[in-house]
Amino acid sequence: MAEQVISQTKLFVSGLPRKMRWKHLREEFEKFWEVVFARVVLDNETGRSRGFGFVEFANAEDAAKAQAEMNEKEIWERQVRVDFAKENPERMQQRAENSEEAE
């Protein structure tokens, strides 16, 4: 298994309400910062939220501010935990190459 690294721009958000979807998660975080990606992880069988997701920011400074300000805050009456996401370096490299090709 590849070694994981801590992302500078992507956050892992846990404790999400079961009815929350990606657009709601994005709205909660983009009130203050430029969000480039948001995803709520869904259960494959039920289609319900698994209670966690990811939010990626345009830059590391915004991600750091979001982590500090949103960690242990309430979203939809549930306290969420916000940490920097751990990522596979090979996947990060692949994404970077794909985005360069798209330009």
Side-chain angles (χ1 to χ4, degrees):
M1 180 175 193
E3 184 178 317
Q4 292 189 329
V5 296
I6 304 294
S7 174
Q8 299 281 315
T9 58
K10 191 175 193 179
L11 301 177
F12 172 76
V13 185
S14 61
L16 294 174
R18 295 282 180 202
K19 292 185 178 186
M20 180 167 276
R21 295 295 181 258
W22 71 269
K23 64 182 176 182
H24 306 122
L25 181 61
R26 181 183 193 115
E27 288 169 359
E28 291 293 332
F29 280 83
E30 71 182 0
K31 289 175 185 173
F32 310 103
W33 310 281
E34 183 181 352
V35 173
V36 295
F37 171 83
R39 176 172 75 122
V40 172
V41 178
L42 303 178
D43 182 275
N44 289 336
E45 291 180 21
T46 65
R48 291 182 60 198
S49 168
R50 292 184 57 199
F52 66 92
F54 298 91
V55 180
E56 188 164 2
F57 293 88
N59 61 63
E61 295 81 21
D62 286 351
K65 286 188 284 187
Q67 190 280 328
E69 291 188 34
M70 296 296 286
N71 187 41
E72 298 185 359
K73 295 289 184 194
E74 279 193 13
I75 297 178
W76 294 9
E77 300 177 3
R78 293 211 41 183
Q79 185 176 15
V80 298
R81 182 163 171 82
V82 182
D83 292 303
F84 286 92
K86 295 178 182 138
E87 294 197 280
N88 178 325
E90 292 170 6
R91 252 192 236 156
M92 290 172 67
Q93 178 65 32
Q94 230 173 18
R95 267 201 330 258
E97 290 170 2
N98 290 342
S99 69
E100 288 173 6
E101 289 173 8
E103 292 176 358

